[in-house]
Amino acid sequence: SAIPESLLEAELFGHVKGAFTGAVASRPGRFEHAHRGTLFLDEIGTMPLPLQAKLLRALQEREVERIGEARPIKIDVRVLAATNANLDEMVRQGTFREDLFYRLNVIPVQLPPLRDRRDDVPLLVRDMLQRLGGQSVPPRTDVTFSQEAMRRLMAHDWPGNIRQLENTVERALAL
């Protein structure tokens, strides 16, 4: 969802030089980069319908075509897809392809919201502090939250889930 729709196809499948304005060099897509590995597609529910059809074809045929090139490129990729959208409902409304839904929904994993996993908060905060502190200038890996602060973090409902918690930790680290 962070990539503009007009660039998403090129990002996923790649392109050849001159395929469109700004394509000054050939570039492999994410599928090619993930060959013999895993490709994570976040917020799959926001993908436009025309691109859903191309994604379905890539998954079914196990090949992609770069934009501007007719030669298929074989791929061996495991795809993990995530969304906070209700894909069942989107299929009923016609905003998500049913065939793609079943192609992706092989092993569904439901992850409860953070408010239902409050015991995870200290572990997540510790990891975030270490990661974010290591990225700060100068690095700050010695920072911790007090017990009272951690109790407050655990008591919060976190409607924005992990991203909101990470924002809070980053803000606290900055201050």
Side-chain angles (χ1 to χ4, degrees), residues 8-15 26-35 39 64 66 73 75:
L8 188 55
E9 183 178 1
E11 190 67 28
L12 290 175
F13 306 120
H15 61 80
S26 293
R27 192 171 155 275
R30 299 292 172 125
F31 273 95
E32 285 181 75
H33 283 297
H35 181 62
L39 179 63
V64 295
R66 290 181 183 173
I73 299 166
I75 54 166

Side-chain angles (χ1 to χ4, degrees), residues 1 39-47 55 79-87 90 96 104-105 107-111 163:
S1 65
L39 179 63
F40 177 63
L41 301 175
D42 198 8
E43 297 300 340
I44 191 75
T46 64
M47 182 175 280
L55 174 60
V79 173
L80 299 178
T83 185
N84 63 359
N86 183 336
L87 291 183
M90 290 179 71
F96 197 84
L104 292 171
N105 197 29
I107 302 174
V109 177
Q110 298 291 327
L111 186 61
R163 289 183 178 114

Side-chain angles (χ1 to χ4, degrees), residues 47-77:
M47 182 175 280
L49 278 168
L51 203 50
Q52 289 178 31
K54 292 177 182 179
L55 174 60
L56 176 65
R57 183 188 170 283
L59 295 175
Q60 285 183 179
E61 303 299 324
R62 298 188 172 272
E63 62 185 28
V64 295
E65 289 180 9
R66 290 181 183 173
I67 297 173
E69 187 172 64
R71 181 182 59 89
I73 299 166
K74 289 288 185 189
I75 54 166
D76 178 16
V77 176

Side-chain angles (χ1 to χ4, degrees), residues 3 17 38 40 43 53 63 93-94 105 107 124 126 138 162 170-171:
I3 301 170
K17 180 179 178 179
T38 302
F40 177 63
E43 297 300 340
E63 62 185 28
Q93 293 173 354
N105 197 29
I107 302 174
L124 291 166
R126 192 175 6 234
I162 302 281
E170 188 172 10
R171 181 177 296 157

